[in-house]
Amino acid sequence: MEKIKILIVEDEMIIGANIALQLTNLGYDVLGVIPRAEEVLPKIHQTLPDILLLDIYLKGDLDGIELAHIIQKEFNIPIIYLTANADEAHFNRAKTTNPYAFISKPFKKLDLQHAIELTILRIQEEKKSEINELETFVMSDSIFIRSHDKMIKVNINDILYIEAERNYCKIHCKDKEHLIVSTLKDLEEKLNVKNLMRIHRSFIINMHHIDEIATSHLVIAKKAIPVSSELKKQLLLHIQKV
């Protein structure tokens, strides 16, 4: 795995150097210690840190909170504030930037380590959420399905039927199967396509690929799929319209 890249913004260079040493010993990639607010954005453009350790009380025209607002207009970088005796007013201002943690100076090595580790854990959880949100998305004639680190296009006309497997769905196509993280109910809401119909609590079928319709089931690609009498009536009405 690549090392987590951390940029330190601290105008007391002895403190900054000490933090950098501790982080390096913990196995992180320290991109530098920046004492002045105006030097931070160029450094971020150059190095793209994963985490920003930012002192609230910076010397100069901008304090750390004002700098954070400027950074967040362009970058989505998790911020951990370094602070010495922050009063309520500064704390409330800092909260508006949604920091991942606060570390009060002077701090112990373990405080720093825990703040970084919790931030990394939160980053990982947020990335998982983003992946789940992008697990599938639907166009008028196709559905994009996540496969490892890419999205694969599946034509809706090629879908034979979709089968529920707990919190997963297996999409059966003419020549391939795709397993996605989704309940059948959620997928049904996304797939608002007239030739796809849910005929059972565990199945959505493509009406264009029905080979047989029997009393209590239908057949698609040699697969017998159960259907209730009520849903069968709805299915026959839909087929007449398709």
Side-chain angles (χ1 to χ4, degrees):
M1 289 181 63
E2 292 185 6
K3 288 184 177 181
I4 295 293
K5 298 182 293 184
I6 301 175
L7 180 63
I8 302 165
V9 183
E10 168 62 67
D11 58 9
E12 296 186 39
M13 294 307 292
I14 294 175
I15 293 175
N18 181 45
I19 294 170
L21 179 61
Q22 291 185 45
L23 292 176
T24 300
N25 290 338
L26 288 169
Y28 300 112
D29 182 7
V30 177
L31 301 175
V33 180
I34 306 237
R36 299 174 62 84
E38 59 267 27
E39 298 173 4
V40 175
L41 273 176
K43 185 69 173 180
I44 290 175
H45 277 283
Q46 180 187 353
T47 60
L48 288 175
D50 298 304
I51 297 172
L52 192 65
L53 277 178
L54 179 57
D55 186 12
I56 286 181
Y57 296 101
L58 291 175
K59 296 171 186 173
D61 295 333
L62 296 175
D63 66 11
I65 301 167
E66 292 167 325
L67 176 61
H69 280 295
I70 293 170
I71 291 169
Q72 288 175 339
K73 290 178 181 177
E74 191 171 351
F75 298 96
N76 183 25
I77 300 172
I79 290 173
I80 298 174
Y81 280 119
L82 304 170
T83 176
N85 302 318
D87 57 29
E88 193 70 16
H90 280 88
F91 180 74
N92 288 333
R93 282 181 57 225
K95 283 196 300 184
T96 64
T97 63
N98 298 311
Y100 281 55
F102 285 84
I103 302 176
S104 296
K105 297 189 286 186
F107 52 84
K108 299 176 183 177
K109 180 180 179 180
L110 197 59
D111 296 332
L112 180 65
Q113 182 178 348
H114 286 170
I116 297 291
E117 288 178 0
L118 288 171
T119 297
I120 292 170
L121 183 63
R122 183 172 158 190
I123 292 169
Q124 291 170 343
E125 290 300 317
E126 288 172 353
K127 285 183 178 179
K128 285 181 185 178
S129 296
E130 289 174 5
I131 287 172
N132 288 335
E133 287 173 7
L134 292 173
E135 195 69 38
T136 59
F137 62 90
V138 180
M139 299 173 67
S140 60
D141 62 348
S142 58
I143 176 172
F144 279 83
I145 298 168
R146 178 168 290 280
S147 176
H148 303 294
D149 59 346
K150 57 187 176 183
M151 303 295 286
I152 296 174
K153 182 180 179 180
V154 176
N155 289 325
I156 288 175
N157 286 337
D158 292 336
I159 296 174
L160 300 174
Y161 59 92
I162 303 169
E163 185 176 4
E165 293 187 0
R166 296 185 181 178
N167 291 326
Y168 295 84
C169 282
K170 186 178 287 184
I171 299 178
H172 297 262
C173 297
K174 293 177 180 178
D175 56 358
K176 196 171 183 180
E177 294 178 356
H178 303 278
L179 189 66
I180 64 172
V181 182
S182 175
T183 63
L184 195 66
K185 181 180 178 182
D186 289 341
L187 192 57
E188 181 185 18
E189 291 173 356
K190 291 179 181 179
L191 286 170
N192 186 21
V193 182
K194 65 179 182 179
N195 56 306
L196 295 181
M197 180 179 175
R198 186 168 182 170
I199 61 159
H200 185 268
R201 59 189 175 88
S202 298
F203 289 94
I204 292 173
I205 58 102
N206 188 335
M207 289 181 281
H208 289 166
H209 294 295
I210 297 173
D211 298 316
E212 299 176 20
I213 299 177
T215 304
S216 60
H217 70 276
L218 55 83
V219 177
I220 296 178
K222 299 181 180 180
K223 169 75 173 179
I225 299 172
V227 58
S228 70
S229 56
E230 184 59 37
L231 288 175
K232 182 181 172 184
K233 291 176 184 176
Q234 294 180 31
L235 172 64
L236 294 172
L237 287 172
H238 276 285
I239 289 175
Q240 293 174 16
K241 296 176 182 178
V242 173

